[in-house]
Amino acid sequence: MWAYDLAESLLSTDLPRRWAHSQGVASRARALATILGPDAELLESAAVLHDIGYSPRVADTGFHPLDGARFLRTENIDERVVRLVAHHSCALLEAEERGLRQELEAEFPLEEPHLVDALIYCDMTTTPDGAATTTPARIAEIVGRYGPDSVVGRFIRRAEPEIDAAARRVENRLGQVRATV
C-alpha cells in the first residue's frame, strides 16, 4: 500500500522506533475493518501516516499533526486521510497548548467522529515499539516520557477522558459486531 511506502521512507531510517509504532497503529487499524466497512483502508492509511510530522524532512512548526497534514496535502493525498492525520489523538487540545488551535481548526476540518475515535483507539492502544497496550498504560508512558509539566504531558492528561471515551466507543462497536457473529 502506498501509505506504508511513504511512511517508511520518512520514518524508518531517522526514527525507527516511531516507524515501529506507526506499523503497530496500522495493524490495530486493520483489526477494526469489521466495524469500518468501506472506510477501513482509509483508516489504515491514516494510521500508518499519523506520525510522519515527526520526520526531520517534514517537521516545520514542531507540532507533528499539523506538519504531517500539511505535508500530505502538498503530496495530494486524500483529504480525509489528511484531516485524520491533522486531528489524530485529540490534537486540538495539544494545538491549544501550543497556541496553534485556531490554525489547525481553520486549515483542517474534523473528519467523521467514528473515524476520529478509531484512530484515537489505534494510536492510544499501541506502545512506542508497536505492541498492544491499554489507554491508561499508554497515557502513563507518554507522561513519563515527556514529563507531567511539559506541553505533551499537560495535553495528554487533559485529553485522557476523551481518549478513554473514544476507546470505549470503539470497543463497544467491536463487541456489537462480535455478538452478531
Side-chain angles (χ1 to χ4, degrees):
M1 175 190 285
W2 64 270
Y4 284 86
D5 294 339
L6 179 56
E8 182 178 17
S9 74
L10 292 168
L11 297 173
S12 65
T13 302
D14 295 329
L15 302 165
R17 192 171 189 215
R18 189 71 59 187
W19 172 231
H21 168 71
S22 295
Q23 290 176 90
V25 174
S27 176
R28 301 287 284 169
R30 275 192 307 281
L32 300 182
T34 58
I35 64 169
L36 296 174
D39 289 328
E41 189 174 317
L42 175 92
L43 184 74
E44 186 176 348
S45 295
V48 77
L49 293 166
H50 80 283
D51 274 352
I52 64 164
Y54 282 115
S55 169
R57 289 177 278 163
V58 174
D60 179 42
T61 67
F63 181 45
H64 77 279
L66 183 60
D67 293 342
R70 284 177 171 167
F71 172 81
L72 292 171
R73 189 173 271 167
T74 67
E75 297 294 307
N76 297 312
I77 302 304
D78 182 321
E79 189 63 21
R80 294 181 72 201
V81 171
V82 172
R83 290 194 307 257
L84 284 167
V85 168
H87 289 284
H88 77 271
S89 300
C90 304
L92 278 175
L93 292 176
E94 184 175 351
E96 192 172 292
E97 288 280 337
R98 295 176 179 276
L100 295 169
R101 183 178 178 124
Q102 289 180 323
E103 202 169 331
L104 183 62
E105 283 180 312
E107 275 187 63
F108 302 101
L110 282 169
E111 187 48 60
E112 296 177 39
H114 77 281
L115 293 173
V116 172
D117 280 355
L119 189 52
I120 288 171
Y121 173 82
C122 295
D123 188 20
M124 292 294 132
T125 60
T126 304
T127 68
D129 297 310
T133 191
T134 63
T135 57
R138 176 80 163 116
I139 290 166
E141 181 278 321
I142 291 168
V143 171
R145 184 166 24 122
Y146 288 94
D149 297 321
S150 69
V151 167
V152 175
R154 289 190 310 270
F155 136 72
I156 203 70
R157 286 186 315 220
R158 283 182 55 215
E160 187 170 11
E162 180 53 29
I163 291 167
D164 289 341
R168 278 193 308 278
R169 288 188 293 266
V170 170
E171 289 165 353
N172 287 341
R173 289 183 68 203
L174 283 169
Q176 291 168 355
V177 168
R178 289 183 189 123
T180 62
V181 179

